[in-house]
Amino acid sequence: MMMYKAVFLDFYGTLVHEDDDILPVIYQQIQDSASRACNQQEIGRFWWKSFSAIFQNSFGDTYQTQRAIGIQSLKQTLEHFQSTRRAEELIEVQFDHWRKPRLYTDTLPFLKQLQGTRVYILSNIDSDDIAEAVRHHGIHADAIITSEDVRSYKPRAELFLEALKRTGLQPHEVIHIGDSMVSDVYGAQQLGIKAVWLNRLHKKQTDGYCPDYICHNLDDVYSILIQSDTERRQL
């Protein structure tokens, strides 16, 4: 048995690949159709800035799904670079990725090792998309809780609070694992939940944040969980 009674897991970037390989395909099509001179880096920065502005104000009565935010921010990007492409058509490749993302090779073995421990997936994604992704890869969890379920996105507290409510556990009894320093690490820690930063891509650590643990793959994460349990039993 492990020290923690439940494990909270992020999904994209943690169990499956992010859409890093997909976005340049969209950038290239915008660049090819734009009247305004631009490169892919400029397109990516503008789209992300537009997406983030909507995303950060999306909660409660102002909540919008990831798909809606994606289309709206992409429309703004197309207008900015004077592209003739339609956002709804361009973004389909990203939506397809969300439903059938590439699986990390250590994901299924890690989940198998966690058998006997409650596992909850907490994701900033639309419910239908992650349901299809989980079905596609045969991933099993005790529950999947999405931003759409709570009308809020990590790092806001609602997703974590809903997970704690469903488990009936206290923050010190669970641990959260994710690849985002802000959404996952800060989001969990602000509620007193221990957080593992899964830094698969060996990114530079963001100033001002201090994960409880830093791991580069899920094998490392499992070692941390077992080590924590061993230390507890030795006390």
Side-chain angles (χ1 to χ4, degrees):
M1 294 179 62
M2 287 184 290
M3 177 180 180
Y4 300 100
K5 295 181 180 179
V7 173
F8 295 170
L9 287 167
D10 176 52
F11 193 70
Y12 297 94
T14 299
L15 302 183
V16 299
H17 286 258
E18 285 280 12
D19 48 17
D20 296 335
D21 295 337
I22 302 299
L23 295 177
V25 175
I26 300 176
Y27 300 159
Q28 184 63 58
Q29 293 182 69
I30 296 174
Q31 185 180 15
D32 292 343
S33 60
S35 297
R36 183 174 180 173
C38 57
N39 56 45
Q40 291 193 20
Q41 289 74 22
E42 291 170 329
I43 294 168
R45 283 196 298 269
F46 187 93
W47 188 10
W48 176 247
K49 182 178 179 180
S50 177
F51 180 93
S52 297
I54 303 170
F55 177 89
Q56 290 170 6
N57 290 291
S58 179
F59 57 90
D61 292 340
T62 61
Y63 173 80
Q64 297 185 60
T65 64
Q66 278 266 26
R67 284 187 172 232
I69 297 173
I71 291 172
Q72 184 179 344
S73 58
L74 183 55
K75 283 182 177 179
Q76 294 175 357
T77 304
L78 294 172
E79 292 172 2
H80 179 78
F81 292 105
Q82 300 173 16
S83 168
T84 57
R85 299 299 303 269
R86 292 186 66 251
E88 292 83 356
E89 293 177 355
L90 272 184
I91 206 168
E92 276 301 318
V93 65
Q94 186 180 44
F95 291 167
D96 289 344
H97 166 84
W98 290 352
R99 296 176 73 83
K100 292 185 178 181
R102 288 188 295 127
L103 186 72
Y104 282 112
T105 57
D106 56 3
T107 293
L108 295 181
F110 175 71
L111 293 174
K112 186 175 181 180
Q113 288 176 310
L114 291 182
Q115 288 180 355
T117 300
R118 284 185 282 174
V119 174
Y120 291 75
I121 295 175
L122 282 59
S123 179
N124 278 348
I125 200 64
D126 302 347
S127 299
D128 286 347
D129 288 324
I130 193 171
E132 175 58 24
V134 165
R135 185 205 64 78
H136 178 69
H137 287 300
I139 293 173
H140 299 285
D142 290 86
I144 299 169
I145 309 171
T146 72
S147 51
E148 193 171 6
D149 293 329
V150 298
R151 299 183 65 81
S152 175
Y153 293 98
K154 297 178 290 181
R156 290 181 59 87
E158 286 86 348
L159 259 174
F160 299 100
L161 290 173
E162 178 65 19
L164 289 171
K165 178 181 176 181
R166 294 194 192 187
T167 62
L169 298 174
Q170 296 299 312
H172 70 273
E173 296 178 299
V174 305
I175 190 167
H176 181 69
I177 301 155
D179 70 300
S180 171
M181 187 68 80
V182 177
S183 293
D184 295 305
V185 173
Y186 171 73
Q189 287 181 333
Q190 67 177 336
L191 292 175
I193 298 172
K194 295 282 189 181
V196 177
W197 182 35
L198 185 58
N199 186 15
R200 289 186 179 276
L201 303 180
H202 297 267
K203 296 179 180 178
K204 181 180 178 181
Q205 186 169 337
T206 307
D207 292 338
Y209 298 95
C210 186
D212 295 286
Y213 306 99
I214 300 174
C215 297
H216 298 296
N217 54 61
L218 290 174
D219 294 332
D220 292 344
V221 173
Y222 187 70
S223 296
I224 289 292
L225 297 177
I226 295 301
Q227 179 182 5
S228 296
D229 182 55
T230 301
E231 292 172 348
R232 176 182 64 86
R233 287 186 279 110
Q234 288 176 344
L235 293 177

